[in-house]
Amino acid sequence: MPVLDLQQLNDFLAEHFPQGEQYGALESVGPGTAVMRLAVSAQHLRPGGSVSGPAMMGLADVAVYAALLTRIGPVPLAVTSNLNINFLRKPLAGADLIADARMLKVGRMLGVGEVYLYSGADAARAGTDPVAHATLTYAIPQ
Amino acid sequence: MPVLDLQQLNDFLAEHFPQGEQYGALESVGPGTAVMRLAVSAQHLRPGGSVSGPAMMGLADVAVYAALLTRIGPVPLAVTSNLNINFLRKPLAGADLIADARMLKVGRMLGVGEVYLYSGADAARAGTDPVAHATLTYAIPQ
Amino acid sequence: MPVLDLQQLNDFLAEHFPQGEQYGALESVGPGTAVMRLAVSAQHLRPGGSVSGPAMMGLADVAVYAALLTRIGPVPLAVTSNLNINFLRKPLAGADLIADARMLKVGRMLGVGEVYLYSGADAARAGTDPVAHATLTYAIPQ
Amino acid sequence: MPVLDLQQLNDFLAEHFPQGEQYGALESVGPGTAVMRLAVSAQHLRPGGSVSGPAMMGLADVAVYAALLTRIGPVPLAVTSNLNINFLRKPLAGADLIADARMLKVGRMLGVGEVYLYSGADAARAGTDPVAHATLTYAIPQ
């Protein structure tokens, strides 16, 4: 069972990311996992209708952060130390983004996770090709 | 001499990044280099006054993209394929961010650049520690 | 079905990586996937018995390269353009390394894949924590 | 002044990297900086005479590690947690590799550095294009 449930995590993120709706909303969590959805709107788009890189990176960051918090609890001071993202395909115009995140390691000092981003509101993730993949490292305050 | 001068690049970015002011403004360009400044405002901040990760990543991305365009000209379809960023220090509250970007390689298919982000309006970069460092790869359409 | 079968891939790697046994041996391949095993020996170790970083990086590189070749065929000139690796846990002393690789994207110009490295000869991967995770990009010659 | 001088660092590396000659030799150090040279030999080559990726990654890793040690002293347990490398150009056949490393941050828990790899024994680095660029993170034991 995750240390924090979905409601607790949403409350925590709302408090610490008040502009959080621009990063997406949690849909589900498990032990070391989190699924978020970004309802793409004009602020996330580039000309031509493609979702901007920063919108994808923000979603990836918050999704893995949520996955980390399911393991270590509400630690507001955990900070991202590294993000590596590969942009794989152009997201569908007008479609939501789904982030599927899980921790690869939660140590005493560092947490490392990965996240797949999918395009499309009903992205049955199995069998769908991701639009981006990212790995992130968080430094956990002692 | 860069292929595009400062005015041409600013015009190009304004057209292709209409929300571009949230990513920063070009201050100077050279052959394969670009300096951008992000006037940090409420939309870029996290609680506590720290600049958000996506704001830094967006600035890094546009700065290296501008550096690339000084070499290949106005190619709107060059797309970011990889971004790796290390967050090094907490930016100063209320201070602008300065991005100092340069290309490491501009090939036929790929452009690779790096960028240092500094905190502080008058960041005399020499001798100042960066708040973040990123490398980016762009795929150049054939 | 992969473009190349296991025997064809092993022959190809033996020809193009004559020091290849230091990088590992293919165990199985599928369409866009490859599993390799590195029989760890003295040349791969650091004092204390830990597998060296370069040994892990070499294994990760060749495993994803093999996964790429299952999709594009024997292209000796595909070159690694980016590698990002997170070292997660100390490998077991004296144990083989298993690399489980798959492509995230195979485009016309770029191939991107990821790979999990596991420690232990009989690593039933499901349920075992990886010792490292890497993403790699290859530029495919035109 | 660096915490360790060139001789002390070479002794330390020789003890902790007994296969270290395959990773290169220190040429100079400063506070947070290190220059290493890899005398390329058959074991580092791929067919066609190109230096192998793992040889470059090993050199990058040890060079930044040495740069870190000039700041924190002989800490054998500092471990690489992340490496990101961009391969930019093909190294010259038969030429040494030079690594020019410096720390971007040395914190209590994490050290982050970058390194440029150059090809050619007499690479006057200024004005020469690097063959690779890497950033590395080390976790410093508490």
Side-chain angles (χ1 to χ4, degrees):
Chain A
M1 237 183 49
V3 171
L4 295 177
D5 67 20
L6 185 61
Q7 183 59 50
Q8 289 169 319
L9 261 171
N10 267 324
D11 292 349
F12 181 86
L13 292 176
E15 182 184 346
H16 293 278
F17 296 87
Q19 310 115 318
E21 77 283 357
Q22 77 186 73
Y23 299 126
L26 271 176
E27 295 216 320
S28 64
V29 294
T33 69
V35 175
M36 290 192 82
R37 173 187 301 266
L38 178 69
V40 173
S41 65
Q43 68 177 316
H44 306 111
L45 297 180
R46 294 257 294 256
S50 183
V51 179
S52 74
M56 286 197 265
M57 294 186 273
L59 175 61
D61 189 8
V62 179
V64 179
Y65 186 54
L68 174 66
L69 295 188
T70 68
R71 295 281 302 277
I72 66 170
V75 178
L77 296 175
V79 294
T80 311
S81 60
N82 176 264
L83 178 146
N84 183 263
I85 187 165
N86 286 294
F87 297 99
L88 304 168
R89 294 169 185 86
K90 197 174 172 169
L92 301 173
D96 287 359
L97 280 183
I98 308 289
D100 201 343
R102 71 179 178 115
M103 300 311 295
L104 296 170
K105 175 198 174 160
V106 180
R108 204 170 47 82
M109 286 175 19
L110 294 178
V112 180
E114 72 172 323
V115 56
Y116 301 84
L117 300 186
Y118 298 94
S119 181
D122 57 348
R125 264 85 68 196
T128 305
D129 286 325
V131 296
H133 176 273
T135 53
L136 291 104
T137 303
Y138 297 84
I140 302 169
Q142 302 301 297
Chain B
M1 233 182 51
V3 171
L4 296 176
D5 67 20
L6 186 60
Q7 183 59 51
Q8 290 169 318
L9 260 171
N10 267 324
D11 291 350
F12 180 87
L13 292 177
E15 183 184 345
H16 293 277
F17 296 86
Q19 310 114 316
E21 78 283 357
Q22 75 186 72
Y23 299 126
L26 272 175
E27 294 216 319
S28 64
V29 293
T33 68
V35 175
M36 291 192 81
R37 173 187 301 266
L38 177 68
V40 173
S41 65
Q43 68 177 316
H44 306 110
L45 297 181
R46 294 255 295 254
S50 185
V51 179
S52 75
M56 287 196 263
M57 293 186 272
L59 175 62
D61 189 8
V62 179
V64 179
Y65 185 55
L68 174 66
L69 295 187
T70 68
R71 296 280 300 277
I72 65 171
V75 177
L77 296 175
V79 293
T80 312
S81 60
N82 176 263
L83 177 146
N84 183 265
I85 186 165
N86 286 294
F87 297 99
L88 304 168
R89 292 169 187 86
K90 197 174 171 168
L92 301 173
D96 287 359
L97 280 183
I98 308 290
D100 202 343
R102 71 179 178 113
M103 299 312 295
L104 296 170
K105 173 196 177 165
V106 180
R108 202 170 48 80
M109 287 175 18
L110 294 178
V112 180
E114 72 172 324
V115 57
Y116 300 85
L117 300 187
Y118 299 94
S119 181
D122 57 348
R125 261 87 66 196
T128 305
D129 287 324
V131 295
H133 175 273
T135 53
L136 291 103
T137 303
Y138 297 84
I140 302 169
Q142 302 299 298
Chain C
M1 236 183 48
V3 171
L4 295 178
D5 67 20
L6 185 60
Q7 182 59 51
Q8 290 169 320
L9 261 170
N10 267 324
D11 290 349
F12 180 86
L13 292 176
E15 182 185 344
H16 293 279
F17 295 86
Q19 311 114 317
E21 78 284 358
Q22 75 186 76
Y23 300 126
L26 271 175
E27 295 217 318
S28 65
V29 294
T33 68
V35 174
M36 289 191 83
R37 174 188 300 266
L38 178 67
V40 172
S41 65
Q43 67 176 316
H44 307 111
L45 297 180
R46 296 255 295 254
S50 184
V51 179
S52 75
M56 287 196 264
M57 294 186 274
L59 175 63
D61 190 8
V62 179
V64 179
Y65 185 55
L68 174 66
L69 294 187
T70 68
R71 295 281 301 277
I72 66 171
V75 178
L77 296 174
V79 292
T80 311
S81 61
N82 176 264
L83 178 147
N84 183 264
I85 186 165
N86 286 293
F87 297 98
L88 304 168
R89 293 170 187 84
K90 197 174 171 168
L92 301 174
D96 287 359
L97 280 182
I98 308 289
D100 201 343
R102 71 180 179 114
M103 300 311 295
L104 297 170
K105 173 199 176 160
V106 180
R108 203 170 47 79
M109 287 175 17
L110 294 178
V112 180
E114 72 173 322
V115 57
Y116 301 84
L117 300 187
Y118 297 94
S119 182
D122 56 347
R125 263 85 69 198
T128 305
D129 287 324
V131 296
H133 176 273
T135 54
L136 292 104
T137 302
Y138 297 84
I140 302 169
Q142 302 300 297
Chain D
M1 234 184 50
V3 171
L4 295 178
D5 67 21
L6 186 60
Q7 183 59 51
Q8 290 169 318
L9 261 170
N10 268 323
D11 291 349
F12 180 87
L13 292 176
E15 182 184 345
H16 293 279
F17 296 86
Q19 310 113 316
E21 79 284 357
Q22 75 185 75
Y23 299 125
L26 272 176
E27 294 216 319
S28 64
V29 294
T33 69
V35 175
M36 289 192 84
R37 173 188 302 265
L38 177 68
V40 173
S41 65
Q43 67 176 316
H44 307 110
L45 297 180
R46 295 253 295 253
S50 185
V51 180
S52 75
M56 288 197 263
M57 294 186 274
L59 176 63
D61 189 7
V62 179
V64 179
Y65 185 55
L68 174 65
L69 295 188
T70 68
R71 296 281 300 276
I72 66 170
V75 178
L77 296 175
V79 292
T80 312
S81 60
N82 176 265
L83 177 146
N84 183 265
I85 186 164
N86 286 294
F87 297 98
L88 304 168
R89 293 169 186 85
K90 197 174 170 168
L92 302 173
D96 286 359
L97 280 183
I98 308 289
D100 201 343
R102 71 179 178 112
M103 299 312 295
L104 296 170
K105 173 198 176 162
V106 181
R108 202 169 48 81
M109 286 174 20
L110 294 178
V112 180
E114 72 173 323
V115 57
Y116 301 84
L117 300 187
Y118 299 93
S119 181
D122 56 345
R125 264 86 67 195
T128 305
D129 287 324
V131 296
H133 175 274
T135 52
L136 291 104
T137 303
Y138 297 84
I140 303 169
Q142 303 299 297

